[in-house]
Every structure is written in structure tokens, then in C-alpha cells.
Amino acid sequence: AQKVTQAQTEISVVEKEDVTLDCVYETRDTTYYLFWYKQPPSGELVFLIRRNSFDEQNEISGRYSWNFQKSTSSFNFTITASQVVDSAVYFCALSDSGTYKYIFGTGTRLKVLA
Amino acid sequence: ETGVTQTPRHLVMGMTNKKSLKCEQHLGHNAMYWYKQSAKKPLELMFVYNFKEQTENNSVPSRFSPECPNSSHLFLHLHTLQPEDSALYLCASSQGSMGGQGGDTQYFGPGTRLTVL
């Protein structure tokens, strides 16, 4: 069965601190896709990254970086030098090939304090 | 308009009302989705349409009735709702494919905040 676990319900950091959001997934498929989305207070889910199961290279985009490790079934997300605008709920999601269904984690609420 | 738009943004309705939520995507996609997001619950997929055909109905009560007249528009018709149906309803779209390969990136609209009194 597919499952996504975001064990951190809420994290608070002070501006400029680095923060890592954890995501652990379960799937029996060998081909799958992982995603991160940001949901600010306005409600819209904003797409951040898509990674397929065959690409384990870490990715960096500005202050954002992602660490994909198949050995531990984890796809963690790090924000470097956090800013107040990073305050949001962050969701990790899993999709197997052959389906359009996403399995979402329960989300991690990040609060960045000025 | 760009991306995925949803109207109305906020809706308050009584249990006997009939209302509709509208979603429009301007991304040239072929798959569209309805999700429900309740407080303290994971995002729940409700319906999936791929090339205007419904491919997923996630055991949604019949008081929710989707309609997809074309690949750009998706509606959710609501009737005789219950207070527990109050939630944020999110629409999304993705590229889609006839082969149903999946793994698409979904792009979300801003949602409709629904309150059922």
C-alpha cells in the first residue's frame, strides 16, 4: 500500500535559520514520483518540485534543496536562511506510474518568526 | 487569466440549497481533479477526469455531482449538503494522457471555502 508520512506536524524557527521538513514514503512500485507543495494562508497549493524514482540526485533551487534517498524511502526538503514568507503548510505527495492519484502526507506547518 | 481559477472563492449555503463550484484551467491540460481539504485531515481526492472522462470517483456521496464539459472546465454541483461537508475544495489540472501513464504534476487553483449551515 502507498503511504506518505510527515511526522512533523508543526515547526517554528526564527528567521534566517535553516529548517528541514521530513517526508517518508511507502510504495511497492519501482517507478513512482514524489512531489512537494507549499500551501500559504491563501489556500492555493503551489508546486515546488517533482522527482521520479530513478533520479536520486539532490536538487537545489535558490534557498530550497531536496534530498532524495531511496535506501531510507525519504524525500526531505530543506529551506536555507528561512524567511517569514516561507511560513506555510508544506505537503509531500507520492504518485505511482499508471495512476493520476496522489497520496498526500498530512502536511507540516512551518512558522518562521521575525 | 493564467493557471487554474476557481469561483466562487467563498460560499455559504444552507443544507437545502443547490450551488455549483466552477474550475477553469488555462494550461492546455487534459486532466482535472477535485479535492476536499478539511481541517486536520489529509487532502482527499474526490474525482478525476482525463480527456473529459471520469476515471476516478473516490466513494464520494451522491450529493456531490461533478461535470466536465470540456478539458478546460470542471464543475462540482452541490445539493442537500451536510455541515460536515464544510471544507476547502480545491481543483487541480495536469497534462493527462490517453494512456493514463500518471506521474503528472498537478497545478492547483486557489480553492473555494465552503461553509454549510
Side-chain angles (χ1 to χ4, degrees), chain A residues 24-39:
Chain A
V24 175
Y25 63 91
E26 294 177 29
T27 179
R28 292 180 181 172
D29 283 7
T30 55
T31 303
Y32 53 89
Y33 302 85
L34 295 163
F35 304 84
W36 275 96
Y37 285 85
K38 173 183 179 180
Q39 187 176 38

Side-chain angles (χ1 to χ4, degrees), chain B residues 29-105:
Chain B
H29 289 164
N30 298 296
M32 297 188 77
Y33 310 76
W34 279 117
Y35 285 88
K36 176 183 179 183
Q37 187 177 30
S38 306
K40 300 181 181 179
K41 277 189 170 183
L43 276 152
E44 301 173 60
L45 178 65
M46 301 175 73
F47 302 102
V48 181
Y49 280 81
N50 187 34
F51 286 85
K52 300 191 296 178
E53 298 296 320
Q54 187 181 117
T55 58
E56 186 87 25
N57 177 337
N58 205 20
S59 303
V60 180
S62 59
R63 57 185 183 271
F64 294 92
S65 174
E67 179 190 1
C68 188
N70 54 61
S71 293
S72 299
H73 294 85
L74 184 64
F75 296 88
L76 189 62
H77 303 299
L78 316 171
H79 62 99
T80 58
L81 294 191
Q82 305 297 312
E84 60 265 29
D85 297 322
S86 298
L88 180 67
Y89 288 85
L90 290 160
C91 174
S93 72
S94 73
Q95 187 60 50
S97 70
M98 293 302 286
Q101 294 175 357
D104 283 357
T105 297

Side-chain angles (χ1 to χ4, degrees), chain A residues 1-5 23-35 51-54 68-75 92-99 101-104, chain B residues 103:
Chain A
Q2 295 174 296
K3 187 178 178 182
V4 174
T5 302
C23 173
V24 175
Y25 63 91
E26 294 177 29
T27 179
R28 292 180 181 172
D29 283 7
T30 55
T31 303
Y32 53 89
Y33 302 85
L34 295 163
F35 304 84
R51 178 52 55 87
N52 75 55
S53 53
F54 299 107
F68 176 29
Q69 291 195 337
K70 287 176 76 170
S71 60
T72 56
S73 297
S74 65
F75 187 42
C92 180
L94 165 70
S95 177
D96 287 340
S97 65
T99 175
K101 287 182 71 169
Y102 279 18
I103 304 300
F104 280 93

Side-chain angles (χ1 to χ4, degrees), chain A residues 70-111:
Chain A
K70 287 176 76 170
S71 60
T72 56
S73 297
S74 65
F75 187 42
N76 296 338
F77 172 33
T78 297
I79 301 175
T80 303
S82 59
Q83 299 177 2
V84 173
V85 293
D86 296 326
S87 298
V89 180
Y90 291 86
F91 291 94
C92 180
L94 165 70
S95 177
D96 287 340
S97 65
T99 175
Y100 294 111
K101 287 182 71 169
Y102 279 18
I103 304 300
F104 280 93
T106 50
T108 297
R109 181 177 299 278
L110 174 64
K111 293 184 178 180

